[in-house]
Amino acid sequence: MQKQSNRLMAKSRLTLQFIRYNLKIVFGNRFVYFLGASLIFYLLVTSINFFTSDTVSIEGVYFHLMFPAFLLIFFPTSYGIQNDEDARILEILFGIPNYRYKIWLVRLVMAFFMVFWFIFLMANLSSILLIKVPVWEITLRLMVPVLLFGMLGFFFSTVVKNGNGTAVIVVIIGLLVWMFSGFLETSAWNIFLNPFVLPSGMSESVWANVIAKHVRTWLIVAAVAALWGLLNLQSREKFIK
């Protein structure tokens, strides 16, 4: 029993060291700054709504939480390849068999896991400070656009292989999508579709089908972007010069 407990403790320590090390690489030692910026933005928007707005809605909270979540996932997915190169471990990682699955897949899971709990925490704060919201539902709904833009950032980082170039592409895509979201409005193709706003003249059952199609469509796109990016990592020659 003592030996088993010692082994478990040793494995736990190794796992924590692995997670800490990869978080440093993924966030380029800038995680605290991005987390701080996300929290400041959230608290600023919450304060404005708390002191100036007469009515706060669930759909408003959904949009308020979206940008901080994007901000937190933006850096690790868009700058991941460049962070590996800056840390001088890119060539070492490409020497590991099944690099794309063993390392980067774990990093992506870690990044999205952290963003999920960040949204969950902020949703709970909103429920306390502003208006009662369905915390779990709003968190899971927000993870759809977060997963999409995060995976797009990862995919383009494997194509461009430069963090700044990837950031420009993702920001341009985000702005274009935001511009066209007004025209698409209640369409399932609207990435920024707010599931908590029931359009006038539309039944709840039809709206539920639109939301379900929206979730399926963009989760499939996110999965394709992730798989495509992982496949791009097979081409060692494109990354190692």
Side-chain angles (χ1 to χ4, degrees):
M1 290 292 292
Q2 184 66 30
K3 289 183 178 179
Q4 288 181 346
S5 61
N6 289 337
R7 286 176 184 173
L8 285 173
M9 288 179 65
K11 286 182 179 179
S12 299
R13 282 197 296 269
L14 284 172
T15 302
L16 287 173
Q17 288 174 359
F18 174 79
I19 291 173
R20 276 200 299 266
Y21 176 74
N22 278 281
L23 283 175
K24 287 181 180 179
I25 297 297
V26 170
F27 287 95
N29 287 322
R30 299 182 183 93
F31 172 69
V32 174
Y33 302 110
F34 279 86
L35 180 62
S38 300
L39 286 170
I40 289 171
F41 179 85
Y42 166 78
L43 292 173
L44 180 63
V45 173
T46 302
S47 300
I48 292 172
N49 279 278
F50 185 80
F51 290 108
T52 63
S53 181
D54 295 330
T55 58
V56 180
S57 61
I58 297 176
E59 54 266 28
V61 172
Y62 177 86
F63 278 130
H64 295 160
L65 293 175
M66 187 179 288
F67 182 79
F70 283 160
L71 187 61
L72 199 58
I73 200 62
F74 177 77
F75 186 84
T77 54
S78 298
Y79 283 82
I81 301 297
Q82 183 174 315
N83 287 340
D84 280 340
E85 188 173 356
D86 293 343
R88 302 179 182 230
I89 62 169
L90 190 61
E91 191 166 356
I92 296 173
L93 290 175
F94 270 103
I96 301 173
N98 295 326
Y99 158 83
R100 60 194 185 280
Y101 300 115
K102 289 183 177 180
I103 305 297
W104 254 106
L105 197 55
V106 172
R107 290 179 177 180
L108 288 171
V109 170
M110 283 168 37
F112 286 113
F113 179 80
M114 293 183 66
V115 174
F116 175 87
W117 288 110
F118 171 80
I119 297 172
F120 182 79
L121 174 63
M122 295 301 99
N124 273 288
L125 284 175
S126 296
S127 192
I128 295 170
L129 299 174
L130 297 176
I131 184 175
K132 186 72 174 176
V133 298
V135 175
W136 283 104
E137 184 180 1
I138 206 168
T139 303
L140 291 170
R141 296 292 187 193
L142 274 168
M143 285 304 294
V144 175
V146 168
L147 278 166
L148 176 64
F149 278 100
M151 290 306 184
L152 285 176
F154 168 66
F155 164 70
F156 283 114
S157 73
T158 64
V159 176
V160 180
K161 301 181 286 294
N162 177 272
N164 293 329
T166 302
V168 170
I169 293 174
V170 174
V171 169
I172 290 174
I173 291 174
L175 290 174
L176 288 174
V177 169
W178 185 263
M179 287 169 58
F180 284 103
S181 63
F183 298 100
L184 295 171
E185 210 165 352
T186 59
S187 169
W189 296 102
N190 180 10
I191 296 175
F192 296 113
L193 180 73
N194 193 324
F196 298 98
V197 180
L198 178 62
S200 59
M202 184 180 292
S203 66
E204 291 187 10
S205 59
V206 173
W207 182 234
N209 289 332
V210 171
I211 295 171
K213 182 181 177 182
H214 165 82
V215 172
R216 284 196 306 269
T217 300
W218 297 117
L219 285 182
I220 290 172
V221 174
V224 170
L227 291 173
W228 199 342
L230 291 172
L231 288 172
N232 285 341
L233 292 176
Q234 290 186 78
S235 304
R236 181 180 184 276
E237 295 77 14
K238 293 181 179 179
F239 296 89
I240 306 298
K241 298 178 182 179

